[in-house]
Amino acid sequence: MSYQKNDVLTVKIEDMGHDGEGIGKCEGYTLFVKDTVIGDLAEVKVIKAKKNYGYARLMRLIEPSPHRVEPICPVARPCGGCQLQMLDYAEQLRFKEKKIAQNLQRIGGMTEIPMEPIVGMESPFRYRNKAQFPIGQDKNGKLITGFYAGRTHQIMENRNCYLGVEQNEEILNRILAWMEENSVSAYQEETGKGLVRHVLIRFGFTTKEIMVCLVVNGKKLPAEKKLIQSLTELEGMTSITLSVNRERTNVIMGKEIRCLWGQEFITDYIGKVKYQISPLSFYQVNPVQTEILYQTAMDYAGLTGKETVVDAYCGIGTIGIIAADKAKSVIGVELNPASVKDARNNARHNNIGNITFYQNDAERFLNEMQEQNAKADVIFMDPPRAGSTQSFMASAISLNPDRIVYISCNPETLARDLEFLKKHQYTAEKIQPVDMFPFTTHMETVCLLTRRK
């Protein structure tokens, strides 16, 4: 059965997609419907029709889902930051568990899935230690900040995001007030003109230290001292920096960072380990769940003090430094030089002597280890959303590790990579999903792979 544009249909929503859109079927024809949730019975209007699937607009809810809730955030519907605020939290967790299992079956070819129940949060709000706010103007020329509406670069005005820390709102108020009082312009993507592009804010949950980094289309700020004076009145202000980005690009941060006041970094803890975080550092955004994620990874690694461990894609050294306490030696590999610098500082500040960080491509480095007949007992891999590459995994396998602990932020690429590893003598023994990003469709998963004898 196929439908056409403007057809009005009744559809039961049974699943949700990447962007939080509801998915339902009408006589075998799949429809993607924004603003619906699992369990809704809805009247919808087809706005785009393909042969086997189409996109539809919600006209009215015939019968709302029992899992539908009123979002706490007034702009949750148009904002692109949260996709699942209309779905109650328990159902969000069920949805994520099901999504991981479906991917492992469909893409990974797994029939038996050794998966534990997902670990959710007791309080799933105010969990983000990092936020990036675009600065712009509304149609009347008023300065605004917030988040981009879904799939657009149109700013939805909102200084009080319920996923971010409460301190963000006052910081943004002060920056916009300073801009208005001193005629500081906002960057305009269409023309490439204007100065302030984004504001990056990081917050140390344990230390209460605050970092503010202004991303600007220029080398300096007018009335810089007035801004510093305003921001340093806030308790916990530790680092005020400038990121120079003069490129016509969607990339937020520039490569050049200049310290305006304080220091170029803040510190925070995961468990007992202290980390130094600079504006460009990769650091998990949910510190409460990160502790659970990394503790699970350590449990899976099964370290006894005799192992040589490799932490691939090591970032600022978070996993490797935690592992160093329980391993004979740890090798961290990371391509980003700023992250390697932070990692070495973090090891030094924590008095860790049995870890060495290398600035190198992880695949190339593991191949060099194999050429030198080096062995790794345990390999941690925490690749980006695109997952790993077969060539990297082949280089990891060549070191013959007993265990690979794979931390994934994308269940599709995890499933794909597990299928490859399964073909090369590694079995997925345990899988633990952790909800790092409540109210969004994103999730993290830790997987233990053991070498078949």
Side-chain angles (χ1 to χ4, degrees):
M1 185 72 187
S2 190
Y3 294 97
Q4 283 163 22
K5 187 177 177 180
N6 295 327
D7 282 350
V8 175
L9 310 168
T10 298
V11 63
K12 178 83 169 183
I13 303 300
E14 293 168 354
D15 198 358
M16 293 176 82
H18 287 300
D19 298 316
E21 71 281 17
I23 303 173
K25 281 190 164 61
C26 225
E27 298 186 15
Y29 186 79
T30 301
L31 283 165
F32 297 89
V33 190
K34 192 177 180 298
D35 302 322
T36 58
V37 300
I38 296 165
D40 279 342
L41 182 66
E43 183 179 87
V44 305
K45 186 176 187 177
V46 179
I47 53 173
K48 193 174 183 182
K50 303 275 188 180
K51 187 180 175 186
N52 299 315
Y53 67 94
Y55 298 90
R57 179 183 292 119
L58 173 65
M59 302 302 284
R60 69 183 178 96
L61 286 172
I62 298 167
E63 194 180 306
S65 166
H67 308 296
R68 179 179 273 275
V69 293
E70 188 63 35
I72 188 171
C73 174
V75 295
R77 186 170 170 176
C79 177
C82 289
Q83 300 94 29
L84 300 179
Q85 268 207 37
M86 291 185 294
L87 193 63
D88 77 47
Y89 188 53
E91 189 63 21
Q92 288 180 40
L93 296 176
R94 279 192 287 273
F95 158 71
K96 291 183 181 188
E97 254 183 23
K98 184 180 168 189
K99 193 64 78 180
I100 294 166
Q102 284 173 341
N103 280 300
L104 292 170
Q105 285 168 343
R106 183 173 53 86
I107 301 169
M110 294 175 70
T111 48
E112 291 182 24
I113 300 170
M115 192 166 86
E116 297 294 319
I118 190 168
V119 179
M121 295 191 76
E122 275 182 47
S123 175
F125 292 101
R126 304 287 185 198
Y127 62 80
R128 287 189 65 96
N129 59 19
K130 174 189 173 187
Q132 295 174 137
F133 296 89
I135 305 291
Q137 291 177 308
D138 66 13
K139 56 181 181 293
N140 300 316
K142 174 176 161 268
L143 288 170
I144 58 168
T145 188
F147 295 99
Y148 294 128
R151 295 186 175 275
T152 76
H153 270 215
Q154 178 192 347
I155 298 173
M156 299 304 309
E157 187 169 11
N158 180 20
R159 302 183 195 185
N160 179 25
C161 171
Y162 285 90
L163 304 193
V165 294
E166 289 175 336
Q167 287 85 342
N168 290 346
E169 185 175 11
E170 181 58 26
I171 292 166
L172 294 171
N173 288 345
R174 288 176 181 240
I175 290 171
L176 266 71
W178 162 79
M179 289 178 70
E180 284 161 1
E181 287 162 15
N182 298 283
S183 303
V184 179
S185 58
Y187 179 73
Q188 295 176 303
E189 283 187 0
E190 309 78 43
T191 63
K193 293 187 164 56
L195 185 64
V196 181
R197 300 172 72 130
H198 277 81
V199 175
L200 162 72
I201 304 172
R202 289 187 186 262
F203 179 75
F205 269 54
T206 303
T207 61
K208 310 300 182 204
E209 293 178 2
I210 298 171
M211 168 190 290
V212 175
C213 179
L214 274 78
V215 184
V216 296
N217 178 37
K219 290 279 188 183
K220 59 182 186 204
L221 294 177
E224 184 182 293
K225 286 182 180 171
K226 289 182 181 176
L227 175 65
I228 292 168
Q229 183 182 345
S230 178
L231 290 177
T232 52
E233 288 169 2
L234 298 174
E235 189 178 346
M237 191 58 62
T238 304
S239 170
I240 304 174
T241 56
L242 204 64
S243 170
V244 177
N245 183 357
R246 306 183 83 164
E247 307 284 322
R248 297 287 291 270
T249 172
N250 287 338
V251 175
I252 292 173
M253 299 295 287
K255 296 184 179 72
E256 182 190 333
I257 304 284
R258 186 161 64 82
C259 190
L260 300 181
W261 179 88
Q263 57 200 32
E264 259 190 48
F265 59 89
I266 59 169
T267 56
D268 205 15
Y269 287 81
I270 298 174
K272 296 175 186 171
V273 181
K274 187 178 187 179
Y275 295 96
Q276 191 169 296
I277 308 144
S278 57
L280 294 173
S281 294
F282 171 77
Y283 189 71
Q284 292 280 10
V285 300
N286 183 335
V288 174
Q289 296 295 84
T290 296
E291 204 159 327
I292 294 165
L293 186 81
Y294 288 170
Q295 186 54 57
T296 303
M298 291 307 131
D299 293 345
Y300 284 6
L303 301 175
T304 63
K306 299 174 183 174
E307 295 83 4
T308 299
V309 173
V310 173
D311 179 10
Y313 313 97
C314 74
I316 63 169
T318 37
I319 298 171
I321 289 171
I322 295 169
D325 190 41
K326 300 176 177 68
K328 183 175 83 175
S329 64
V330 178
I331 296 162
V333 193
E334 169 63 46
L335 193 56
N336 183 319
S339 293
V340 174
K341 182 182 172 187
D342 282 343
R344 288 170 179 158
N345 285 335
N346 289 330
R348 191 168 62 252
H349 292 316
N350 288 282
N351 299 314
I352 308 287
N354 61 335
I355 190 165
T356 311
F357 292 102
Y358 296 91
Q359 195 245 312
N360 204 334
D361 174 76
E363 182 185 327
R364 189 185 310 134
F365 185 86
L366 296 194
N367 284 333
E368 288 169 4
M369 282 185 69
Q370 195 265 332
E371 286 164 12
Q372 294 161 13
N373 294 319
K375 188 178 182 301
D377 301 294
V378 176
I379 293 179
F380 289 99
M381 48 189 287
D382 187 0
R385 282 193 64 72
S388 191
T389 61
Q390 290 192 0
S391 53
F392 170 80
M393 289 186 285
S395 64
I397 291 163
S398 72
L399 296 178
N400 228 15
D402 297 322
R403 294 177 293 288
I404 296 172
V405 181
Y406 189 138
I407 299 173
S408 164
C409 59
N410 183 342
E412 290 184 11
T413 54
L414 171 68
R416 180 200 69 199
D417 292 348
L418 291 189
E419 185 190 31
F420 178 86
L421 290 163
K422 183 174 68 176
K423 289 176 182 171
H424 293 82
Q425 299 301 306
Y426 283 84
T427 301
E429 294 270 347
K430 297 177 185 173
I431 298 170
Q432 177 65 70
V434 179
D435 188 25
M436 299 281 283
F437 313 102
F439 304 107
T440 80
T441 54
H442 301 297
M443 59 208 93
E444 294 263 337
T445 313
V446 190
C447 182
L448 168 63
L449 294 125
T450 56
R451 180 162 49 86
R452 296 195 290 276
K453 305 296 185 199

